[in-house]
Amino acid sequence: MLVATYDRTGPANEVLRVTEFPTPTPGPNEVRVRLAWSGVNPSDVKTRAGSRTRVLPFPQIVPHSDGSGTIDAVGPNISSARIGERVWIWNGAWGRAHGTAAQYIVLPANQAVQLPENIDLAAGACLGIPALTAYHAVGMNGGVQGKSVLIAGGAGAVGHYAIQFAKIMGARRILSTISSDRKAALAKAAGADVAINYKNEDVAARVQAETAGQGVERIIEVDFGANVALDQQVLKRDGDIVVYGSTALEIALPFVPMLIKNIQLRFFIVYNLTEHDRTRAIEELTALLKGNRLQHNVAERVSLNDIVKAHEMVEQGRVVGNVLVQIP
Ligand SMILES: NC(=O)c1ccc[n+]([C@@H]2O[C@H](COP(=O)([O-])OP(=O)(O)OC[C@H]3O[C@@H](n4cnc5c(N)ncnc54)[C@H](OP(=O)(O)O)[C@@H]3O)[C@@H](O)[C@H]2O)c1
């Protein structure tokens, strides 16, 4: 089978190559998926670049955790009725050497989730990281029913789903930061009441004006290092900040202002959701997909041979939405 792979960290054009690997066979409790699409996320790009650690967890890596396709073989203990099922994948490359940038992936059967008939396979490759991250960020810690929420970076892959989930879960008012008119339109179409251009507006003043001077009750944060001072300023007392991203790897906190406001900080990584939280998120997501309640934003579709280009697009942050690799 064809795969994209790397055996050392570094720039995409130096370390990624497309080659042949033996086609894997599913073992007990596993399924094999013939992949159609492989989703590229910032995390895949950072791991390949070596920006977190230069030491690879496996000698040879097939990247990407997200993907979609059709089950074509099952191992012992798995019903053959699953053969032919259209599925989306989570954690394909988390703690595993072999991700979705390949014609086939073998993985535990529960990591291949049935995709409702009405959802196309390309959208299925956006769910594992962007949609599940957004769902958990919005739904955790009592959710957002009746609350005002600030979603930083509402046109991003995660942010765009987060706005939709906040709307669905009954947020009273949804504010979002963006950096262009095009991104503002995307955030509003997803359900944001207010889009604030953080590059040329006074975000703190706008948030206060839009919330009658109260501030927001939850912030869903894409870059905590960049926004920590703003967040503590615009968060209402007893509010929480759900942090899923940060460019800075070490962050100084304004201790006293955060203390006085009783601010709660919540960090999480989608790869390590508890079984309970993941099951709940997948069930709810499936119901929303069946009801056609979600917009998906596939921005770029790139062939497997152009995987370097796909990584560079994500790395440079030029793309508004998800980047997918089409599997031949
Ligand atoms: N914890 C987890 O489980 C988890 C899961 C998924 C992603 N992440 C992380 O979350 C980050 C975003 O992922 P993604 O896939 O959504 O990326 P993405 O599609 O590139 O979206 C990021 C968005 O954030 C905006 N942005 C950047 N800096 C900002 C700032 N200071 N204030 C407000 N908005 C800002 C960007 O727009 P502009 O550049 O135009 O501002 C862009 O719209 C990455 O660092 C990723 O590694 C973490």
Side-chain angles (χ1 to χ4, degrees):
M1 66 168 177
L2 277 176
V3 302
T5 185
Y6 59 94
D7 55 16
R8 63 191 167 91
T9 57
N13 64 353
E14 288 179 20
V15 303
L16 278 169
R17 66 198 168 89
V18 175
T19 187
E20 286 280 344
F21 271 16
T23 302
T25 307
N29 307 314
E30 290 181 331
V31 295
R32 183 172 70 191
V33 179
R34 174 66 169 94
L35 289 151
W37 297 97
S38 177
V40 190
N41 285 283
S43 161
D44 302 309
V45 166
K46 291 174 199 172
T47 305
R48 183 269 306 145
S51 54
R52 286 173 175 150
T53 164
R54 301 201 72 81
V55 185
L56 289 183
F58 304 97
Q60 182 105 43
I61 290 182
V62 174
H64 307 169
S65 277
D66 286 1
S68 60
T70 305
I71 293 177
D72 83 326
V74 297
N77 311 328
I78 302 298
S79 164
S80 59
R82 289 203 71 183
I83 293 173
E85 189 179 304
R86 296 160 76 253
V87 293
W88 60 276
I89 286 162
W90 54 270
N91 282 13
W94 178 249
R96 298 164 34 87
H98 183 166
T100 62
Q103 286 181 309
Y104 294 90
I105 186 170
V106 158
L107 78 179
N110 69 330
Q111 286 179 238
V113 181
Q114 184 163 23
L115 188 66
E117 282 303 312
N118 54 315
I119 304 298
D120 69 28
L121 283 169
C126 308
L127 303 177
I129 293 179
L132 286 185
T133 301
Y135 182 90
H136 188 68
V138 176
M140 69 148 58
N141 205 22
V144 297
Q145 171 81 41
K147 292 184 182 168
S148 53
V149 186
L150 172 63
I151 296 174
V158 175
H160 184 245
Y161 280 118
I163 292 174
Q164 297 179 64
F165 291 133
K167 188 91 185 163
I168 288 165
M169 291 187 210
R172 181 164 43 83
R173 196 151 171 78
I174 303 171
L175 291 74
S176 183
T177 50
I178 41 73
S179 66
S180 68
D181 290 347
R182 181 176 163 221
K183 290 183 176 185
L186 197 64
K188 286 197 165 173
D193 299 297
V194 181
I196 307 170
N197 189 322
Y198 76 93
K199 295 246 163 107
N200 60 24
E201 290 187 71
D202 180 338
V203 181
R206 273 294 302 281
V207 173
Q208 296 304 346
E210 297 288 347
T211 58
Q214 296 292 299
V216 291
E217 289 152 293
R218 171 167 297 184
I219 297 174
I220 296 179
E221 186 52 76
V222 66
D223 191 341
F224 193 45
N227 293 328
V228 57
L230 170 73
D231 289 354
Q232 77 78 21
Q233 237 183 314
V234 301
L235 192 65
K236 195 174 169 183
R237 213 184 89 179
D238 298 315
D240 57 7
I241 308 173
V242 178
V243 178
Y244 69 90
S246 178
T247 309
L249 298 183
E250 299 215 0
I251 302 163
L253 297 177
F255 172 67
V256 174
M258 291 181 105
L259 186 81
I260 287 169
K261 274 192 174 173
N262 287 4
I263 287 175
Q264 291 184 55
L265 273 182
R266 317 280 302 204
F267 297 89
F268 78 97
I269 191 155
V270 70
Y271 298 125
N272 283 339
L273 293 185
T274 63
E275 197 182 330
H276 171 270
D277 287 340
R278 188 181 306 281
T279 303
R280 184 180 87 137
I282 289 174
E283 281 173 7
E284 183 62 22
L285 182 58
T286 300
L288 295 171
L289 291 169
K290 282 184 180 161
N292 259 330
R293 306 266 314 272
L294 297 176
Q295 302 166 28
H296 310 279
N297 185 20
V298 176
E300 295 286 345
R301 301 166 195 241
V302 173
S303 74
L304 185 64
N305 279 330
D306 283 333
I307 187 168
V308 168
K309 201 164 113 191
H311 271 231
E312 289 172 349
M313 283 173 175
V314 173
E315 203 149 40
Q316 292 157 9
R318 278 187 282 123
V319 176
V320 185
N322 288 91
V323 176
L324 303 187
V325 170
Q326 183 157 27
I327 306 299

